[in-house]
Structure formats: C-alpha cells, structure tokens
Amino acid sequence: MADDAYPPLDQVRRGEYAYPGPLRDALVTAIVSGEKTRTTCLLAELGPDADPADDLGTLEAVVDSHGTVVCVVRTTDVQVMRLGDVTLEHAVAEGEGHGDVAQWRADHERFWHSPEYVADRGWLTIDDDTLVVCSTFQLDRRYPVTVPVPWSAR
C-alpha cells in the first residue's frame, strides 16, 4: 500500500490486541499514548500460507475492549525470529513495562497458555526455537485517535 493511500476507516482491517478486558485495555492505552510501538505473535497463529512480510506497510484499526476503533497504526517493520532471540529493545518497545526479556517472555508465555488463548488457538508447545513475528508500528495520524473505554466502564 502506498504511503499516501488513505482508505476509509471501515475498509481498514481490525486489530485486536489480547482479549477484551484489562490486558487489552492496558495494551490499547499504551498504543494510543505512543508507549507501545511493537508487538509479538506466534508465527503459528498466521497459518501455513501466510507471509508475515506481507504486513509491511499495512494499516490496522486498533479496537478497544468494546470493539470501538480508537486509532490506526501502520506496520513499519516485520521480523520472524526464534523466541529465544527476542531482544530487550523489542521487549521494552512493547510498552508493557518489562525491564528484561525474561519478564517479557514469562508474560507472553502466560498469555499464550491462558484459557482464552488455548480455547481460541489450541495448546502450543513454546520453547526457545518457537518462531515469533516481531512487528513494529506507528500511529497513523491521518485517522482520529480517541481514548479507549475501559472494559469495566460498560
């Protein structure tokens, strides 16, 4: 997609970070504030024919816990790597307050083994060799940015 493309918001794919609730609230708030500029998913989540590099330059309409679009981000970098190779720089840029990679990894493994995730995606064995997709994004200021409504507010 060209940098000057400006599709209507209803044509931008939706981006859901975690599941509705306190974790999504925290992640979306960090995205809106600019504190969170990176994210990680398991390569296995994308399916066998997916190429993570196809996301480079794409837009994503980030939704809060109630499904309301609060901002749009553009993917600026995508890297596939072993979980054991994720850097401190990446972990910190995820905006979740992690001071080291071990803490970041423990929180991510807890999410990937959470009841919601397992019910949605199935159980996956995770170790140093598990492939992850590390994406970098930035707010696209051509779209409005609003404050997310907390899960508990409705």
Side-chain angles (χ1 to χ4, degrees):
M1 175 181 294
D3 283 341
D4 59 350
Y6 185 63
L9 191 55
D10 64 352
Q11 293 179 13
V12 177
R13 80 173 180 193
R14 296 305 185 244
E16 298 178 348
Y17 288 75
Y19 296 97
L23 179 56
R24 181 178 289 177
D25 290 349
L27 296 175
V28 172
T29 297
I31 291 168
V32 168
S33 73
E35 203 174 327
K36 179 174 180 64
T37 59
R38 295 189 185 184
T39 194
T40 306
C41 72
L42 298 173
L43 181 61
E45 292 179 32
L46 304 183
D49 297 328
D51 181 356
D54 290 344
D55 282 344
L56 192 60
T58 61
L59 296 173
E60 185 177 76
V62 177
V63 297
D64 67 12
S65 288
H66 305 284
T68 303
V69 175
V70 296
C71 66
V72 173
V73 297
R74 180 180 298 274
T75 302
T76 59
D77 187 48
V78 179
Q79 296 180 25
V80 176
M81 66 182 68
R82 295 171 58 251
L83 181 59
D85 294 334
V86 172
T87 65
L88 177 59
E89 177 187 15
H90 180 82
V92 170
E94 283 214 12
E96 298 175 49
H98 297 114
D100 59 47
V101 175
Q103 180 187 24
W104 170 89
R105 180 170 170 170
D107 282 351
H108 279 70
E109 286 191 33
R110 191 171 12 266
F111 172 76
W112 292 325
H113 288 147
S114 69
E116 298 92 349
Y117 189 91
V118 171
D120 193 29
R121 306 280 183 167
W123 178 267
L124 298 170
T125 301
I126 298 171
D127 60 28
D128 279 351
D129 292 325
T130 300
L131 294 178
V132 295
V133 180
C134 296
S135 301
T136 304
F137 56 82
Q138 63 186 30
L139 283 172
D140 189 318
R141 295 288 182 177
R142 298 174 301 175
Y143 295 90
V145 176
T146 60
V147 175
V149 176
W151 177 246
S152 60
R154 287 194 189 163

